[in-house]
Amino acid sequence: MSIDVHELLVFPGPDGQAGNPLGVILDGARVPDADRQRVAAQLGYSETVFVDDATTGAIRIFTPSTELPFAGHPTVGTAWLLAREGKPVEALRPPAGTVPVRYEAELTWITGRPEWAPDFDFQQLGSATEVESHPQPADGRTYVWAWIDEAAGVLRSRCFPVSLGIAEDEATGAAAVALVGKLGRRVQIHQGVGSVLVAGPTGDGAVELGGRVSAVRTFALDGAAR
């Protein structure tokens, strides 16, 4: 059996560069539960999304080593792809709960809750230079960040979710949601080699997360579902 995989870049900068690769399988229901972790590991993206029902927004999210109840760049990317395919949604429904969606001309927005994010070890450093030179941790889920312009809410970050099977994540939406939950303010995050995320509190304990998305390719993965 062959299934189509849509490869996207989520949170590229305004110049279209960088962004976090994402795999989305729109026919996710064709992949048995028992095979999904293996497929995600085979694809090797930091996350792979299986869309079980595009009408209701039901999705499942897997890293190469585990399933996540919620993640930021997979929900933003999947929402954008469904709209591109002529099936825009008002919400996505990963295992964590209902994730509202809205669309702008350039940005796709989702709303999540900080408590849905994995536990990250947030470390505020003294400068963007220190963030850029931070060594690769051996384990854990480390998120280092520093202000570029605190008054304007612009910061620099890197994320190392090693325990999730990812050495370094280029753009981590769930961590952005959790960080905004701690800071209580709107921020623009410059992460990785050039990704840009925007996030801010909604006033009810949730956080809205937005960014750009672009399509890279669609390819067939033969034998993924058995």
Side-chain angles (χ1 to χ4, degrees), residues 22 38 83 124 129 201 204:
L22 173 71
R38 176 179 59 81
Q124 183 179 359
T129 301
D204 59 357

Side-chain angles (χ1 to χ4, degrees), residues 64-127:
S65 64
T66 192
E67 182 176 6
L68 299 177
F70 166 77
H73 104 272
T75 48
V76 170
T78 301
W80 178 89
L81 179 61
L82 288 171
R84 194 194 72 161
E85 296 292 307
K87 300 176 181 179
V89 292
E90 294 184 356
L92 292 173
R93 292 175 173 82
T98 300
V99 176
V101 172
R102 70 180 179 91
Y103 300 96
E104 288 183 355
E106 289 192 3
L107 306 183
T108 299
W109 295 86
I110 62 94
T111 298
R113 304 195 65 84
E115 59 266 28
W116 291 349
D119 291 329
F120 289 96
D121 176 18
F122 288 101
Q123 300 178 18
Q124 183 179 359
L125 305 183
S127 68

